[in-house]
Amino acid sequence: MASHISRSSGAVQAAGAKAHVRMWLIVLAVLVCLGVALASHMPGIGEQAAYAGYESTEVVHYTVRPGDTLWSIADRFTDAPAAQVVECLKAVNGLDDSRIVAGQHLIIPV
């Protein structure tokens, strides 16, 4: 009977150890997710990546006028392919899509 008790106690300890490891894996996963979320919202990270295809990192601060589109702005300020510039403008300015509104301020790499 004593050996039965020690086996059962060992099983409980093993289950406790598994739960402990599982808890730490969850904590680690949460911390990694938080780190990624914070890093993606830090100013300058997207801007540096977006400049990778340009010779210069000079920028123009531009206020959107009525009728402006990212495509028209790309054509006006650079000679690079408009599609590439539009993607860069979206990345630098934290835009999810190509919609812009009059009065909005944009950073334009030139």
Side-chain angles (χ1 to χ4, degrees):
M1 182 138 178
S3 67
H4 182 299
I5 293 173
S6 68
R7 284 187 198 150
S8 142
S9 174
V12 169
Q13 287 177 349
K18 286 181 183 179
H20 186 75
V21 168
R22 192 175 310 123
M23 180 200 62
W24 280 110
L25 288 174
I26 291 170
V27 168
L28 179 63
V30 168
L31 290 174
V32 167
C33 289
L34 284 173
V36 168
L38 289 174
S40 68
H41 289 92
M42 291 178 66
I45 289 178
E47 192 172 323
Q48 291 170 359
Y51 288 140
Y54 290 92
E55 294 176 10
S56 172
T57 57
E58 294 180 33
V59 297
V60 170
H61 294 270
Y62 179 76
T63 302
V64 176
R65 295 182 275 185
D68 279 343
T69 65
L70 289 181
W71 288 85
S72 66
I73 293 169
D75 285 337
R76 188 177 317 140
F77 285 94
T78 70
D79 294 328
Q84 178 185 3
V85 177
V86 167
E87 289 306 311
C88 174
L89 291 173
K90 288 169 36 179
V92 168
N93 292 283
L95 303 173
D96 293 328
D97 54 41
S98 297
R99 289 180 288 177
I100 54 174
V101 295
Q104 184 174 354
H105 298 282
L106 297 176
I107 298 171
I108 304 170
V110 292

